[in-house]
Amino acid sequence: SRGLGDVYKRQDLNDALMTSTAQRVIFQKLLGLLRDGLESKELAEKTGVKRVVVFVDELSKYAHRSLSSESFLAGVKFGIKNIAERGRFAGLSLLGVEQYPSQIDDSILENMSTRLFTRLKSKELSNELYRYYAKDFLKSVPRLDKGVALLDHDTFPESLFIRFPRTLCATTQPVRKVEMKNLVIGVG
């Protein structure tokens, strides 16, 4: 029998050569094992892991707002909703990435306390989801430079600009924009 340490190693279901049905079954099984291991403290005792972050790329594919309970992805959506709604009590956190957040199920969006926005299209920003954001915020998001994002958290009174560090594999220097107010031209 395999130990918990074998089960809890990094899993990437998109890279696995299996059908979507198999991916769904494995995802549900892994979530169940993680949740049970965290709640019983067995995972922490055997591996030292007390918190787990589940990363879901293209979140709306698996948790789309219109995904019905009859869909073959309904079990995956249920698992993702469960993490968003109750995961923090067990030590499970959801890190979802999506180009069109307005397509994600409402119950998942409502349970997100931290949102990180990179460049989004104006059409996406016209969605009802963004109605509470200030006009300055909505104007700046489509124009964000590469490597810059806006961090929005429920405890912050305003969104914060953050800059990601240059990746180690980058081969070119980033282009730096010069603000005109800081430009001094000397005449000799």
Side-chain angles (χ1 to χ4, degrees), residues 14-30:
N14 276 337
D15 291 342
L17 298 174
M18 62 183 82
T19 66
S20 57
T21 301
Q23 288 178 0
R24 176 177 42 92
V25 170
I26 289 172
F27 181 76
Q28 289 172 297
K29 182 68 174 174
L30 280 173

Side-chain angles (χ1 to χ4, degrees), residues 2-152:
R2 293 175 17 160
L4 277 174
D6 296 327
V7 174
Y8 296 113
K9 289 186 175 127
R10 180 184 175 272
Q11 299 293 322
D12 188 343
L13 297 182
N14 276 337
D15 291 342
L17 298 174
M18 62 183 82
T19 66
S20 57
T21 301
Q23 288 178 0
R24 176 177 42 92
V25 170
I26 289 172
F27 181 76
Q28 289 172 297
K29 182 68 174 174
L30 280 173
L31 280 184
L33 288 169
L34 285 170
R35 187 181 50 252
D36 294 346
L38 287 165
E39 287 175 351
S40 70
K41 310 290 187 221
E42 183 182 2
L43 182 59
E45 292 167 7
K46 294 196 175 194
T47 66
V49 174
K50 296 177 183 172
R51 294 202 56 79
V52 175
V53 176
V54 177
F55 178 81
V56 181
D57 192 15
E58 302 297 342
L59 185 56
S60 72
K61 175 181 178 183
Y62 304 102
H64 198 278
R65 64 177 48 252
S66 65
L67 194 66
S68 72
S69 60
E70 290 82 36
S71 168
F72 75 97
L73 287 173
V76 174
K77 181 179 177 179
F78 176 79
I80 292 170
K81 282 176 73 169
N82 198 17
I83 295 170
E85 294 169 352
R86 291 174 285 284
R88 65 184 157 268
F89 300 113
L92 273 174
S93 296
L94 175 65
L95 176 59
V97 178
E98 178 57 48
Q99 290 177 328
Y100 302 99
S102 63
Q103 300 301 312
I104 300 170
D105 184 88
D106 287 337
S107 66
I108 295 169
L109 291 172
E110 290 165 3
N111 281 286
M112 291 174 22
S113 61
T114 306
R115 291 156 298 279
L116 188 66
F117 296 94
T118 57
R119 195 176 314 160
L120 292 173
K121 304 276 186 212
S122 296
K123 183 177 180 183
E124 169 66 16
L125 292 169
S126 67
N127 189 282
E128 185 72 11
L129 171 67
Y130 305 99
R131 70 184 174 274
Y132 298 112
Y133 287 99
K135 289 182 182 181
D136 290 344
F137 174 89
L138 296 174
K139 286 180 183 176
S140 62
V141 171
R143 296 182 184 96
L144 290 172
D145 292 332
K146 190 174 187 177
V148 176
L150 278 167
L151 175 67
D152 181 43

